[in-house]
Amino acid sequence: MAKEGMVIKTESTKASVLITRKGACGGEGCSKCSGCEHQTQVIECANYISAKVGDRVQISGDDSSMLKYTALLYLVPLTFFLIALISSYSILENKIGNFELASFGIGLVGLLIGYIIVKFIDKKFVDKDLVHITKIIGGLYE
């Protein structure tokens, strides 16, 4: 993953970089579909090359680490939701009147537990530099 952006904030070895995400089709100015909107996003990056506020920079990240991190964020809560849903459905089946709704509610509790677990695991990734600034492309007035 290599993207370009503008440094908007720096502190010690970290920088906040504003990037523009292209639309779904990646077109430049395509007006034929509604998926071409460009959105801005701020990404926290490691700043080992001392980029300053206003610098245009290239940021990069390890694709396999990013994929693992993304899988963790989505699969842990989903797994807890499905386990809670399926197990409560099989336990409550025909024991209470509206067992489907109760199973769904228990599944949502499992989803919440999964998000809490991800929040604790996420603290481990905060210290890792998954995304870092690789080079300075230009300054604010270049």
Side-chain angles (χ1 to χ4, degrees):
M1 173 198 85
K3 294 194 179 271
E4 292 182 9
M6 174 87 60
V7 177
I8 58 171
K9 179 181 166 187
T10 60
E11 49 186 63
S12 66
T13 60
K14 297 283 183 187
S16 297
V17 178
L18 179 69
I19 64 166
T20 302
R21 296 176 57 197
K22 290 186 179 179
C25 69
E28 298 292 328
C30 176
S31 61
K32 293 181 182 176
C33 69
S34 62
C36 293
E37 59 194 44
H38 298 288
Q39 299 175 350
T40 59
Q41 178 180 14
V42 176
I43 296 178
E44 297 293 320
C45 305
N47 183 14
Y48 298 127
I49 62 172
S50 300
K52 296 174 182 56
V53 173
D55 285 345
R56 287 187 317 122
V57 295
Q58 182 180 32
I59 61 174
S60 180
D62 179 29
D63 289 337
S64 66
S65 295
M66 294 296 285
L67 185 61
K68 289 176 190 174
Y69 182 66
T70 304
L72 172 82
L73 290 179
Y74 286 102
L75 292 179
V76 169
L78 179 65
T79 302
F80 273 83
F81 172 73
L82 290 175
I83 289 172
L85 179 74
I86 293 169
S87 61
S88 64
Y89 186 88
S90 63
I91 291 171
L92 296 176
E93 190 174 11
N94 298 325
K95 292 186 179 170
I96 61 173
N98 200 356
F99 66 94
E100 293 97 351
L101 186 59
S103 295
F104 181 71
I106 293 170
L108 290 179
V109 170
L111 183 70
L112 179 65
I113 291 169
Y115 278 124
I116 292 170
I117 290 171
V118 164
K119 190 71 174 165
F120 285 117
I121 294 172
D122 188 44
K123 290 181 182 180
K124 184 175 101 173
F125 283 99
V126 169
D127 295 332
K128 287 189 173 185
D129 296 326
L130 295 177
V131 180
H132 56 280
I133 298 174
T134 55
K135 68 179 179 179
I136 298 173
I137 298 169
L140 182 62
Y141 300 108
E142 292 182 13

